[in-house]
Each structure stands twice: as C-alpha cells, then as structure tokens.
Amino acid sequence: MRLTLEAIESLQAVPDAIARLLRLIPLVAMLAAAITPAAFAMESLASAPLLLAAWHMTSGTFLLIFIIVAGLTYLVLKFHREVESRRYAERAAHDSRDQIEISVAAANLGLWDWDPVTDTVWTSDHCRTMLGLTGGTTMPREKFLDCLQGEERALAEARMKEAMITGRQCEAEYSLLQPDGSTQWIASRATPRSRRGGKPDHLLGVLMDITSRKQAEQEAVEQRKQLTHLTRVSVLGALSGALAHELNQPLTAILSNAQAARRMLSHKRYDISEIRQILEDIMADNMRAGDIISHLRSLLRKDELARRPVDMNQLIDGVLAFSKSDLVLKGVRVTKDFCTDCAMIEGDPVQLQQVLLNLFVNAGEAMNQMPMSEKSLHIVTEKTRAGHLRVSVTDTGEGISDSNLQFLFEPFHTTKALGLGLGLPICNWIIMAHGGQLFAQGNPGGGATFSFDLPLPIEVANEDTESSRVFG
Amino acid sequence: MRTPSPLVYLVDDDPSVLRAVKRLLTAGGFDTKAYSDPALFLAEHNPATPGCILLDMALPGLSGIDVQSKLAATAHRQPVIFISGENNVPATITALKGGAVDFLLKPFDETVLLAAVRAAIARDAVTREEEAEAGDIAARLAGLTPRERAVFARVIAGRLNKQIAADLQIVEKTVKVHRARVMKKMGARSLAELVRLAYKYGLVDKEVASGT
C-alpha cells in the first residue's frame, strides 16, 4: 500500500520536472541574444572573406545547434539531479518508516488502516497480536471487527463511518473479552486521511492497550469507596456511645410511659385523658427512635455521590442534633452564626453530613484537655467574596502545630492514639468532589478553624448578601 | 416531730424522658419534682426534704457529676441515683466514689427504678434518723458542765473513780456525784450504754483529747 502511494507520487513528479524545464527556455533565449552581437563584432575584425562568408552562412545554424546542445546538457543534468534527490527522499522515507515502526512497537501501539473502497483493513503485526487476530496484514473489515462484541462492535462500526463522513478524528475505549475470561481495555484513535487531497479516502488508526491504567482507575475508585466506608464506620464507632444514648432516650420514655399507664389502669380510678396523652407521647418517641435509626442507616450506606439541593444550615443543625450527646457529655458550648439566604447548595447531603460530623467530632476531641468553661464550638456559614458558601468550624482546643499542618490532609497521618488518619483526607476528597476546598488553620488565640468553600448557584453567587446575616 | 413525706427529685434534660419517668414515679406512689435544667434544680433543691435525687449523667451546661459535687457541699443531702444512657465506666466510678447509691442504665424497668428509689429513700430515712440522734446527743453533751465533761471523758476512757479523783484533784465522792449526773444528762442507763453513745457519735477521741 505504501509502495503504490510512492509510485503515484513519483509519477506526479515527472510533469513537474518538465514544467521547470520549460521555465528555462526564456533564459536560454536571452543567452543566445547576448552571443549574437559578439559574433557581429568578430565579423568586422575578420580579414578572410571566405571565412567571413562561411561565418555568415553558418552563424544561424551554429547558434541553433549551440542552443540545442546546451539545452540537452541542462536537461540531462537536471534529470540526474532529480533522480538523485528522489533516491535520497526514498531512503529518508524508508528510514523514517523504520523509525516509526520501531517507536510504535516500543510504545506498545497497534496500527490499522481501513480502505472503505475495498472494505479491507491493513493491520500492523502488533495490532493483530493485541486484538488476537490471525492471518495476513490485510483482512476484510468484518474480520477485523470480530474482536469486539455486541454493542461495542456496532458502536465501532458507526464511529468509523462517522469519521469518514465528518473527516474528524475519533477516540474511543473498548473492552475485549480475553479467552481466559479477563477483560482487556483498548483505546483507539482514528484519523481520516486523504491520499489525493480533498475528501478523506481511508481511516488511519492507532490502538493502545490501557488495561493496566483502567484497572488502576477502578482499584482507586474501589479503594476510595472502601476508605470512605471505613471512616464512616470508625467515626460512628467513636460516636456509638453517644448514639446509644440518643436512642436510649426515646426507649426510656416509651418504657416508662407504658409502665406508668399500666400502673394507672390497675387503680380503680384513673384519668382517661392522662392515658391518652401517654399514648400520644409513646407514638412521638417511637417516631423519634425511628428517625435516629434511619439517620444512622443513611450515614452507613456506601453510596455514590448524589447531587440534590441542600440547605447547609439545616444540615449543620441536623448533624449537631445528632452529635448533641457527645458534645454535651464533653461539656462543649455550641454557638452558631448562620447566613440565611446563601446556604442552598447542590451536593450529596449524606457525604456533607459526614464531613460536618467528622469536623465536629475532631473539634470535640481537640478540646478534651480543656476545662469545661473554655470548651466552645463556633459554626459559621457565610458567603465569600468569590461567591462561595463558606462553612467554618472553630474550636478552642489544642490548635494545630505547624509540623502537623502540612500533613493534615495526608492519609494515615494522625495525632490520635486510636486514629486511622483518614478522617480529614476523606473530608477533603468529598469537598473536592463537590468542587470545593477544605482548609485548616491554627488560631492565634488558641484552637483551630476548619473551613470549606462550596460553589453557590450562579444567581446567589452574584447577589450582595452583606445585609442578610443572622446571629443564632 | 412529724417528718414530711419523702420527695423524689428528677433531673433530666430530655423533656420526653422527664415526663414519662415522672409519671411512672407518681404512679408508683412517690411525690416527684421534675427539672430539665440542672441549675434550676440546684437553686430550688431543699436538702432538708427527705427523699432521693434521680440525676441524668449527660446534662447540658452542668454534667450529672458536676451537680453531684455541688450537692456534696450541702448538709443533709439526699442520696443520688444516677440514670444514664451510656455505659461509661469512668463516669460510673466517679459517680460511685462521689457517693452515688445506684446507677441505672437507660432504658430501665419500673421494678428496677422503683426498687432503687425505695431503697434510696429508706437509706435517707436511716441517715436522717441517725443524724437527728447525733444532734440530740450533741445537745445533751452541750448541757454538761465543764467539770462533768472532764469526768465524762475519763469515764469513757476507762479510768476508775479513784484515778479520776486523783487526775482532777477532787475527792472520790464528788467524782461519783458528777458521774451520776453525766449518766442522767446523757440518758444512759449503764456505763456500757454511755460508752456506746460516745463511740457511735465519735465523741471518744474528741472528749478524751479535750479532757486530758
């Protein structure tokens, strides 16, 4: 195929050489015109009339012969040079083809070239090895596509046709089922080319084996999911005491109410409205217990990122209510300073709750050694100048040492005796997945502030919200 | 002296639990005063009222342990029963070291709760009776003249009349008179009873020390 291409190109080169030759004719004519007056000058000097006559007679013919000889010499020289340069170009082309083949094989790439006229595909050796194809370099397209199954095959066929029509490069990834049951991933990049100029008449493709990259990607996603799950479990483990307390409250109320009612009924005289009130209270506490359980379940699920409108203030209040016992047990005073009309964002409420929970638990733990009167947690939501929602959690704990600050978001870096060192990295991943950023800083007066920025909807981001702050 | 009927103080920040447990205690026959705010409880609590205190561990502002240590500063305090949703061993130890009589884990059964309250109230009654008796004895002791006190101290220390007479440089007969008055004023019918009273209310070391 490459040879025919070159043959066509060299055929095209012959008329080209002739055209260049024709351009030389005016030059030769000018040369002749310059020689003729010189001949006339010689004539006036000559003494032999015969010679002069002969000169007169033959000068026109002589000039003609001279022109012809000069022209022919030029032509031969020119042709020789043309042949030389063509030979050199051929050698260079051969060299560069060798170089391409060596580099293509070294880069683990497969090459293919589809000719729609004959509907055949030329394939490089490496390409056939990658796709598990047997046979010669050129094969019908049907056979070439046999390496793909079902939907992917149809997709590949459609993409090839489309590329030929639009003339645009197309990129795709395909999974190939190997005989041993494993999956091989191939990335393909096809470029429509034209041999004669104008409309594309063949499709040149490069294949790359991306199996290891795909596997690494999938493993990373899987690992992150597991790690996220793991910290959720560990955060909940730390909170389990407080959680049990939270669930025990409604259970205590239900049991005591029911037993009180039974005692009342065993007396001869009892107040029926009191019994009714008891039943109402029992139902309310039952709902409360149910809510706590469903909340716990939602925190434990291994979900994908869901995007829903989320009211950050409500979310914070929800998590605070959930971790109330933990904070109360530790004697932490909680204050809030919420922005009223900039708290609506898009995000995964469960994952954002996880971030808040983690920050609250960390803040609580950082204040363990402080006297109770100095334990306080301050939570602020506000709009930044850049039009983001910023949530800041400030504690009055030990603060962050400079040496820890730089490793804060590194996995497996922990200052806690029983910590996994995964809480903050996962918070960071979650916030990044929401298009935001998590920051930490030690405060000059002691304690630390953790804050994150999340993008606000555009219309809210552009509003001026200076006057919309409330203090709670 | 008529003792007022026992009162159960209940302190829990969860309004629902507070209402339910108060109902149960009332249905169980106990007068109950419920507080959701520990500070208000401390302000209104009357240590002189017999009864007991049911105290939640996890309270906002002041923890159950804090409330307990503040109560410890008052005299005639009622026994404290802790109620907690969390099986927290260090907190339990602190509570028991601080003199808590019981520790109930939420959710608790009525029989457990009522039995604990009953036992605490009984214990409070005993304590109050003993305290009353101790106060009585102290009053009787205060009625002794200095000379009688000196004789009393030597009698309970086991010294004979002759020795006491020598100690105080008085005649034995006078010692006998003082001794008879001490017995009468202290309400003791025998020497053994006098010694028992003195030991029971910790008068021995004090009196012996001051007498010699």
Side-chain angles (χ1 to χ4, degrees):
Chain A
M1 188 161 288
R2 264 151 220 289
L3 290 175
T4 48
L5 184 81
E6 276 154 22
I8 289 166
E9 279 175 5
S10 53
L11 278 175
Q12 280 172 337
V14 173
D16 195 36
I18 292 168
R20 275 192 217 164
L21 203 63
L22 286 173
R23 279 205 298 275
L24 286 169
I25 288 174
L27 194 75
V28 175
M30 272 168 68
L31 196 71
I35 291 166
T36 314
F40 280 113
M42 275 174 72
E43 182 189 25
S44 59
L45 289 173
S47 53
L50 187 71
L51 194 68
L52 200 70
W55 170 252
H56 269 294
M57 193 178 61
T58 57
S59 65
T61 320
F62 185 74
L63 191 65
L64 195 69
I65 291 167
F66 173 77
I67 288 169
I68 290 168
V69 167
L72 279 174
T73 312
Y74 180 80
L75 204 66
V76 166
L77 281 172
K78 177 76 188 168
F79 191 71
H80 177 73
R81 200 186 293 161
E82 200 65 40
V83 168
E84 275 297 300
S85 72
R86 171 113 339 245
R87 234 179 241 159
Y88 177 77
E90 252 173 44
R91 247 199 326 274
H94 194 266
D95 282 356
S96 75
R97 195 168 63 231
D98 278 355
Q99 281 167 359
I100 288 170
E101 269 173 19
I102 289 166
S103 32
V104 158
N108 217 1
L109 299 173
L111 295 178
W112 54 269
D113 191 344
W114 173 46
D115 185 343
V117 178
T118 57
D119 203 19
T120 53
V121 180
W122 170 90
T123 53
S124 72
D125 294 348
H126 194 70
C127 173
R128 288 193 302 282
T129 318
M130 273 165 82
L131 301 179
L133 297 168
T134 50
T137 50
T138 306
M139 63 186 77
R141 189 165 65 121
E142 284 298 305
K143 195 188 168 204
F144 175 66
L145 289 174
D146 273 347
C147 57
L148 296 172
Q149 271 88 35
E151 206 178 312
E152 290 206 328
R153 186 191 167 111
L155 262 173
E157 224 166 307
R159 280 183 188 133
M160 285 170 88
K161 274 194 189 126
E162 198 191 319
M164 288 305 290
I165 294 164
T166 60
R168 275 201 292 269
Q169 197 178 58
C170 91
E171 285 179 41
E173 288 177 0
Y174 301 101
S175 59
L176 310 180
L177 202 64
Q178 297 296 97
D180 64 356
S182 65
T183 305
Q184 186 191 13
W185 283 89
I186 296 281
S188 158
R189 176 181 292 179
T191 315
R193 281 294 176 86
S194 170
R195 289 195 188 100
R196 290 171 189 85
K199 267 181 72 86
D201 53 13
H202 68 128
L203 190 64
L204 205 60
V206 184
L207 298 181
M208 192 175 15
D209 189 330
I210 52 161
T211 310
S212 52
R213 193 190 84 199
K214 275 272 170 191
Q215 274 171 353
E217 274 173 17
Q218 271 171 353
E219 273 166 27
V221 168
E222 197 52 43
Q223 256 174 7
R224 188 165 299 182
K225 243 193 253 175
Q226 280 174 1
L227 286 181
T228 312
H229 183 66
L230 196 62
T231 56
R232 271 185 214 169
V233 172
S234 69
V235 166
L236 283 170
L239 268 177
S240 66
L243 244 164
H245 182 268
E246 211 58 57
L247 202 56
N248 275 333
Q249 299 289 62
L251 289 180
T252 307
I254 290 168
L255 186 61
S256 295
N257 267 323
Q259 291 180 332
R262 189 173 62 184
R263 275 180 180 268
M264 287 176 191
L265 289 172
S266 68
H267 298 308
K268 286 239 162 63
R269 290 167 61 191
Y270 54 85
D271 184 357
I272 190 77
S273 66
E274 176 79 9
I275 302 281
R276 188 172 293 124
Q277 187 55 51
I278 285 177
L279 291 175
E280 295 284 339
D281 283 0
I282 287 176
M283 286 188 278
D285 277 314
N286 212 320
M287 300 285 277
R288 185 172 142 203
D291 284 349
I292 293 167
I293 290 169
S294 64
H295 194 122
L296 173 68
R297 195 175 288 150
S298 72
L299 274 175
L300 275 168
R301 263 203 313 257
K302 240 197 309 188
D303 277 343
E304 307 290 322
L305 195 72
R307 286 199 179 264
R308 279 201 291 277
V310 175
D311 184 334
M312 186 52 79
N313 293 344
Q314 270 182 19
L315 210 64
I316 292 170
D317 281 335
V319 177
L320 276 179
F322 188 65
S323 42
K324 191 185 113 210
S325 303
D326 187 54
L327 294 171
V328 164
L329 271 178
K330 291 196 165 95
V332 178
R333 204 165 57 90
V334 179
T335 50
K336 294 181 283 186
D337 181 359
F338 282 173
C339 154
T340 45
D341 56 1
C342 64
M344 287 304 295
I345 50 131
E346 284 269 310
D348 185 325
V350 174
Q351 296 214 335
L352 291 173
Q353 274 175 330
Q354 197 192 335
V355 173
L356 291 169
L357 189 60
N358 217 313
L359 295 183
F360 296 166
V361 170
N362 279 351
E365 284 179 2
M367 295 188 284
N368 267 347
Q369 304 305 317
M370 300 290 144
M372 210 174 259
S373 57
E374 285 172 29
K375 289 182 180 180
S376 92
L377 182 67
H378 188 52
I379 304 158
V380 179
T381 58
E382 63 191 327
K383 197 173 118 178
T384 64
R385 284 208 192 133
H388 286 84
L389 166 66
R390 175 168 296 172
V391 179
S392 311
V393 179
T394 304
D395 64 54
T396 52
E398 298 155 0
I400 312 163
S401 71
D402 287 343
S403 58
N404 280 327
L405 199 58
Q406 54 178 324
F407 299 114
L408 215 51
F409 301 129
E410 296 278 318
F412 306 112
H413 175 80
T414 183
T415 55
K416 298 178 198 166
L418 297 170
L420 280 175
L422 287 172
L424 285 175
I426 287 173
C427 287
N428 199 21
W429 288 335
I430 292 173
I431 294 299
M432 285 198 298
H434 281 81
Q437 223 183 333
L438 183 65
F439 327 84
Q441 63 177 70
N443 295 332
T449 299
F450 283 82
S451 47
F452 55 85
D453 287 359
L454 293 173
L456 280 166
I458 291 156
E459 62 277 11
V460 182
N462 293 336
E463 269 170 29
D464 180 21
T465 52
E466 276 306 301
S467 58
S468 63
R469 305 178 56 72
V470 290
F471 294 88
Chain B
M1 191 170 67
R2 199 188 70 86
T3 45
S5 63
L7 180 68
V8 181
Y9 286 102
L10 173 64
V11 189
D12 196 314
D13 66 310
D14 190 308
S16 183
V17 172
L18 198 67
R19 207 159 54 234
V21 177
K22 183 180 193 283
R23 276 188 193 122
L24 184 58
L25 289 168
T26 311
F30 296 103
D31 286 344
T32 309
K33 249 186 150 171
Y35 295 89
S36 59
D37 178 7
L40 186 67
F41 159 71
L42 282 174
E44 291 193 356
H45 158 250
N46 179 6
T49 315
C52 69
I53 300 166
L54 275 167
L55 200 53
D56 185 30
M57 257 305 178
L59 291 168
L62 287 166
S63 76
I65 299 286
D66 290 338
V67 174
Q68 186 190 26
S69 63
K70 282 199 193 298
L71 283 173
T74 60
H76 300 293
R77 66 179 194 280
Q78 297 89 335
V80 172
I81 300 170
F82 271 104
I83 49 177
S84 173
E86 200 190 0
N87 198 356
N88 182 337
V89 174
T92 314
I93 290 169
T94 315
L96 293 177
K97 272 188 178 168
V101 294
D102 217 334
F103 196 99
L104 305 183
L105 208 56
K106 288 180 186 174
F108 37 73
D109 189 74
E110 55 179 338
T111 49
V112 175
L113 175 73
L114 297 178
V117 168
R118 212 170 286 129
I121 288 173
R123 188 167 170 159
D124 181 54
V126 170
T127 312
R128 279 173 200 278
E129 203 175 297
E130 282 176 354
E131 275 174 5
E133 203 182 350
D136 192 29
I137 299 291
R140 284 185 224 168
L141 196 63
L144 300 182
T145 64
R147 184 59 89 187
E148 283 163 1
R149 280 182 86 111
V151 172
F152 171 66
R154 285 168 177 76
V155 169
I156 57 175
R159 291 183 79 78
L160 302 171
N161 285 351
K162 204 184 281 172
Q163 292 171 313
I164 296 171
D167 285 347
L168 301 177
Q169 297 183 332
I170 49 175
V171 294
E172 201 178 335
K173 201 173 175 185
T174 318
V175 173
K176 278 183 181 165
V177 173
H178 284 312
R179 190 170 169 156
R181 281 211 194 107
V182 166
M183 294 292 276
K184 198 180 172 202
K185 280 185 178 173
M186 294 303 286
R189 277 161 299 184
S190 64
L191 176 62
E193 199 176 342
L194 188 72
V195 172
R196 187 188 65 82
L197 280 175
Y199 270 98
K200 191 169 178 188
Y201 298 103
L203 301 175
V204 178
D205 296 334
K206 211 159 53 186
E207 290 305 319
V208 168
S210 66
T212 41

